[in-house]
Amino acid sequence: MLEQFVTVMPGTLGAALIVMSVSVMLGAGEGKSKPRSSRWRLYGLGIGCLAAVIFAALRATAVINQRTVVNYPTLICCVLADMALAVVLFGARKTVSERAEHPRRLDLSNAIAAVAIALIVFRALPDVILELTIFVEPGDPVFTSAMLLRALGFIMGLAASIIVACIVRSLRACVHVRFFDAAALLLLALIFIQHVTALLTVMQTTGDVFLRGTSFRLLAWLINHATPLIIAQIVVFLLPAIASIVAGFRMPVAGENTAIVRQHTALRRRAKAAGVWTILAVIGVTVALTYGVAQTNQVPVLSPPESYALSSNKSVATIKFSQLADGHLHRFEYKAKDGTVMRFIIIKKNGGAYGVGLDACDNCGDAGYYEKDGKIICKRCDVAINLATIGFAGGCNPIPFPYQAGNGSITIQTSDLDALSSHFKS
């Protein structure tokens, strides 16, 4: 669940914030006085989402296996649209205030905003949508607790981006417009940097540009610091958040009558709440994209080997059933006659049978296996092993070897282990 959450939220956060910011800055009129062109932004959002779904579906079905064919022209359009949108947002306040005298200017601004929104959403969503294809692991039933947790993580990640955007939106009513506008322009600048970085990466790959020296190091730095750039997209709204809290404390409470006093009190409370909630949103996003990502990227550590009985002449290893009764993975270590330190694993399977094999496979070598959420997973390729197949050769299964089960214990001839020591030699 956490893995889906920290993948979906950063993929949708920037798009949600820019859609919200453009909507706020170009919002004009209510009811009949609201210009028709304001709908164009909604159409842009819908077109971007639909195009992202189609592109993701074509990628998932391998109809498109060369993303560069689509990404290259799209990124060029994104960069140009970002620059045009920056001009629109920079003059948004004047455009909105003079809409009665110059209605075509507002229509043009909404048209540019619609195109930019469509492109930004199209760039952001395909990888998020493709997360839907990994809800069910191969060989697993469709409806499992793991699938439901992945779906919940996906939904929570998407919901978190929308909620954060809604929280930030509340600032516009509580703070001077210049603070919100400055944050929105900084947000657009960060999205522009993301698009330029992606475009230069594609151009470097195709050989259309050859970056060297400082320019190449800068590109590498931007690629390696993609997550901090995403966090910065919400951090820029700390400026209006702090300004909102300050305005809440400075706003006068006095008024000509009781109704005005209550109105001022409500505005003070709303300004403080908007600022505090935005700061909490910034903290939440930062924690999710630092600590949360670190948790999902943790490299699994193999459990330490357990003790077992070895005969006096070291020819037979004995592991009691009671040691394996919990049904979890148990790891053991053995030093072969040629000096190779080996590992083997045993797990009690459903029905009372035992899965016995080396802590290695023919495909991934001696990387080993670990247990997570009741599954046995190969550390190198991250494939979950079907519990029923442990003890059988093939695929990424642990390499099997002979053993005897009876009289309350499993016995292994160490000569059988000695014959397999080559699997643990580098």
Side-chain angles (χ1 to χ4, degrees):
M1 181 176 73
L2 181 60
E3 185 175 354
Q4 274 69 44
F5 179 84
V6 299
T7 301
V8 172
M9 189 183 70
T12 55
L13 180 63
L17 288 172
I18 199 67
V19 170
M20 176 276 302
S21 299
V22 173
S23 175
V24 167
M25 294 180 68
L26 291 179
E30 295 292 339
K32 293 183 179 180
S33 66
K34 192 172 185 179
R36 289 186 177 182
S37 62
S38 61
R39 299 177 185 174
W40 298 350
R41 301 193 303 269
L42 181 61
Y43 299 153
L45 176 61
I47 291 171
C49 291
L50 179 60
V53 170
I54 294 173
F55 183 43
L58 293 176
R59 281 175 53 187
T61 54
V63 174
I64 294 179
N65 51 23
Q66 294 292 331
R67 291 183 294 170
T68 303
V69 176
V70 176
N71 287 343
Y72 202 155
T74 302
L75 284 167
I76 293 174
C77 293
C78 282
V79 170
L80 296 175
D82 291 343
M83 292 189 290
L85 184 59
V87 174
V88 167
L89 295 186
F90 190 78
R93 199 189 319 171
K94 183 178 180 181
T95 300
V96 171
S97 63
E98 297 178 356
R99 67 183 183 277
E101 296 83 5
H102 306 284
R104 297 301 180 189
R105 187 192 301 170
L106 182 58
D107 291 344
L108 178 60
S109 296
N110 280 322
I112 293 173
V115 172
I117 287 172
L119 289 167
I120 290 170
V121 170
F122 175 72
R123 274 292 305 165
L125 290 190
D127 288 337
V128 172
I129 295 170
L130 285 173
E131 284 292 308
L132 296 170
T133 63
I134 62 172
F135 278 10
V136 181
E137 293 185 358
D140 282 359
V142 175
F143 294 103
T144 62
S145 58
M147 183 279 290
L148 293 175
L149 286 174
R150 294 188 190 101
L152 181 60
F154 183 95
I155 294 170
M156 289 178 63
L158 181 60
S161 294
I162 296 173
I163 291 171
V164 167
C166 291
I167 291 173
V168 173
R169 183 188 180 94
S170 66
L171 290 172
R172 182 61 186 265
C174 307
V175 70
H176 195 284
V177 292
R178 67 173 180 271
F179 292 108
F180 188 94
D181 293 355
L185 286 168
L186 287 173
L187 167 66
L188 181 58
L190 290 168
I191 291 176
F192 174 75
I193 291 172
Q194 284 183 318
H195 290 160
V196 170
T197 301
L199 177 60
L200 290 176
T201 302
V202 172
M203 295 178 73
Q204 182 85 355
T205 303
T206 58
D208 291 336
V209 298
F210 296 95
L211 299 179
R212 296 291 184 271
T214 303
S215 58
F216 181 80
R217 288 193 294 271
L218 178 59
L219 177 62
W221 186 90
L222 290 171
I223 294 172
N224 294 331
H225 291 78
T227 298
L229 287 174
I230 294 172
I231 295 174
Q233 291 174 356
I234 182 64
V235 170
V236 296
F237 287 97
L238 282 176
L239 175 65
I242 294 171
S244 182
I245 294 173
V246 172
F249 281 105
R250 289 184 174 180
M251 194 176 297
V253 179
E256 297 176 1
N257 53 55
T258 306
I260 294 178
V261 171
R262 285 200 301 268
Q263 183 182 21
H264 287 175
T265 302
L267 288 173
R268 282 169 57 94
R269 186 165 56 249
R270 192 182 310 161
K272 294 175 187 177
V276 170
W277 277 108
T278 299
I279 292 173
L280 291 176
V282 172
I283 295 172
V285 170
T286 303
V287 171
L289 298 187
T290 51
Y291 177 77
V293 170
Q295 288 295 107
T296 60
N297 291 338
Q298 276 187 337
V299 177
V301 178
L302 299 182
S303 59
E306 302 177 25
S307 60
Y308 60 96
L310 201 59
S311 61
S312 57
N313 59 0
K314 297 185 179 181
S315 62
V316 179
T318 303
I319 299 97
K320 294 185 179 297
F321 286 164
S322 58
Q323 190 173 351
L324 312 169
D326 58 8
H328 291 293
L329 178 71
H330 294 266
R331 193 183 326 275
F332 305 92
E333 192 173 270
Y334 169 73
K335 187 173 184 179
K337 287 185 177 180
D338 61 5
T340 301
V341 177
M342 306 173 61
R343 302 185 310 274
F344 61 94
I345 58 174
I346 305 177
I347 186 170
K348 185 178 181 180
K349 301 191 287 188
N350 296 331
Y354 292 88
V356 181
L358 296 183
D359 195 21
C361 74
D362 289 322
N363 293 339
C364 300
D366 61 356
Y369 302 85
Y370 65 95
E371 183 176 357
K372 181 180 179 182
D373 300 329
K375 295 182 178 181
I376 307 304
I377 302 173
C378 174
K379 183 180 177 183
R380 179 159 296 165
C381 67
D382 205 33
V383 167
I385 310 302
N386 187 341
L387 191 62
T389 65
I390 295 179
F392 297 91
C396 204
N397 283 335
I399 297 168
F401 55 83
Y403 69 95
Q404 295 292 325
N407 299 321
S409 63
I410 287 178
T411 56
I412 301 168
Q413 300 296 320
T414 57
S415 58
D416 292 325
L417 294 174
D418 292 331
L420 298 171
S421 65
S422 60
H423 290 287
F424 290 87
K425 290 182 178 179
S426 56

